[in-house]
Amino acid sequence: MKFCSLYSGSSGNSIFVGSEKAKILIDAGLPGKKIDEALKQIGQNPSELDGIFITHEHIDHIKGVGVLSRKYDIPIYAPQDTWVEMERTIGKIKEHNIKVMDRRSVVSIKDIEVKSFIIPHDAAAPVGYTINLNDKRASVATDFGTFTKEIEDNIKDSDVILIESNYNPGMLDFGPYPYSLKQRIKEAYGHLSNEDCGEAIVKILKNGLGKNIILGHLSNTNNTPELAELTVRDILTANGIKVGSDLDLSLANRHNPVSYTHLRAHETLSD
């Protein structure tokens, strides 16, 4: 399995996951041209995509999905309520490419299985995804304000996990956002802080070390990559977890694809 964050952040999100037979995107939150460029940069042909799975209807997750679907005849998978909310934004989609799925479901795409699970966020029907290929598993869980038992149960056995580390509370409190938006971000259905992300990773690692953790969906206004990584590292260290030996820790990039993570049977390698 190949896993690559193409873009991750409040300005747009898209993740590529591929196997020998199947190639999918999770979200397409930048212009179609940008996602085209990113896929070609990592050696992938956009016309070979087998599907785009949507986490929720916010623009930083769906901006390019309509263009890509129309250009390359790609199916789009999303819950019914998400379809209702995003249809007016993404434009007309061919009937055979409208794939409605339950918030808790398993979709088979050639040799991979894509499992959806419910996350708490202020959207119509937000979900996270876990992708299974033989004995390897990768998960994407961003845009949630509370690390629930359902999220934990669905991602804890994954070999690679892209998890939200959205904001620093001090930067948010003293930053430029209006009070109402600050409160929305901090609510149970908002976003996950760096500290909460670190504590969530500690819970995940109780199920086994050796995982590849990627911090994603960082706010451009209320966070920095250095602060997110330092905060999470400090929490892991305080819990006796060593970065580099007990787990691999990296950050998704806002503007460019990060290096592939290759998941092969019985081993995890990072290029």
Side-chain angles (χ1 to χ4, degrees), residues 9-11 60 166-186 191 217-223 254:
S10 49
S11 53
D60 59 324
N166 182 256
Y167 70 94
N168 169 268
M171 291 181 69
L172 177 64
D173 287 341
F174 295 99
Y177 283 5
Y179 177 78
S180 59
L181 180 54
K182 292 177 182 180
Q183 292 304 111
R184 176 194 151 217
I185 290 170
K186 291 191 286 186
H191 289 277
H217 208 284
L218 276 64
S219 169
N220 195 39
T221 303
N222 304 307
N223 209 355
R254 176 179 302 277

Side-chain angles (χ1 to χ4, degrees), residues 76-90:
I76 303 170
Y77 295 82
Q80 177 62 45
D81 289 347
T82 300
W83 270 108
V84 170
E85 291 298 320
M86 74 177 180
E87 276 185 311
R88 60 180 177 269
T89 302
I90 67 175

Side-chain angles (χ1 to χ4, degrees), residues 26-184:
I26 298 175
D27 290 333
L30 286 93
K33 183 178 180 181
K34 291 282 291 182
I35 295 174
D36 252 1
E37 292 170 354
L39 285 168
K40 291 172 182 175
Q41 186 176 333
I42 64 170
Q44 297 296 328
N45 186 343
S47 67
E48 295 178 355
L49 289 171
D50 297 294
I52 304 173
F53 287 77
I54 303 300
T55 59
H56 62 292
E57 74 275 8
H58 292 165
I59 194 66
D60 59 324
H61 295 262
I62 66 167
K63 188 170 187 177
V65 68
V67 170
L68 291 171
S69 179
R70 286 186 289 275
K71 184 175 181 180
Y72 298 115
D73 197 29
I74 304 170
I76 303 170
Y77 295 82
Q80 177 62 45
D81 289 347
T82 300
W83 270 108
V84 170
E85 291 298 320
M86 74 177 180
E87 276 185 311
R88 60 180 177 269
T89 302
I90 67 175
K92 187 172 179 60
I93 303 298
K94 293 178 181 178
E95 189 68 30
H96 67 271
N97 284 330
I98 298 175
K99 305 294 185 181
V100 179
M101 51 183 280
D102 292 333
R103 293 180 75 186
R104 295 186 181 103
S105 63
V106 177
V107 177
S108 295
I109 305 287
K110 296 179 179 176
D111 60 343
I112 64 173
E113 285 187 345
V114 184
K115 182 181 180 183
S116 59
F117 53 90
I118 294 175
I119 61 172
H121 192 51
D122 57 353
V127 296
Y129 291 105
T130 292
I131 301 94
N132 294 284
L133 173 66
N134 299 323
D135 65 341
K136 288 300 170 185
R137 180 176 296 174
S139 290
V140 175
T142 66
D143 295 77
F144 60 92
T146 306
F147 185 64
T148 63
K149 183 70 162 52
E150 177 162 356
I151 297 173
E152 181 180 354
D153 287 345
N154 277 277
I155 73 175
K156 65 184 181 181
D157 294 322
S158 295
D159 302 283
V160 58
I161 301 167
L162 193 154
I163 187 169
E164 171 163 279
S165 189
N166 182 256
Y167 70 94
N168 169 268
M171 291 181 69
L172 177 64
D173 287 341
F174 295 99
Y177 283 5
Y179 177 78
S180 59
L181 180 54
K182 292 177 182 180
Q183 292 304 111
R184 176 194 151 217

Side-chain angles (χ1 to χ4, degrees), residues 5-6 14 21 45-47 51 53 69 108 114 123 146-147 159 167 189 195 201-202 204 207 225 227 241 247 267 271:
S5 172
L6 303 179
S14 189
K21 299 178 181 178
N45 186 343
S47 67
F53 287 77
S69 179
S108 295
V114 184
T146 306
F147 185 64
D159 302 283
Y167 70 94
Y189 289 81
E195 289 81 357
I201 294 170
V202 171
I204 293 167
N207 201 60
L227 190 54
I241 299 167
L247 82 161
E267 63 176 342
D271 285 356

Side-chain angles (χ1 to χ4, degrees), residues 210-268:
K211 300 182 187 301
N212 191 320
I213 306 292
I214 305 170
L215 307 182
H217 208 284
L218 276 64
S219 169
N220 195 39
T221 303
N222 304 307
N223 209 355
T224 68
E226 296 79 12
L227 190 54
E229 183 175 8
L230 178 62
T231 302
V232 170
R233 279 179 175 266
D234 285 348
I235 291 171
L236 294 175
T237 300
N239 283 273
I241 299 167
K242 297 179 181 179
V243 175
S245 56
D246 293 336
L247 82 161
D248 291 329
L249 182 68
S250 60
L251 284 88
N253 191 287
R254 176 179 302 277
H255 302 294
N256 297 292
V258 297
S259 297
Y260 267 139
T261 297
H262 292 275
L263 301 177
R264 300 187 179 94
H266 310 303
E267 63 176 342
T268 301

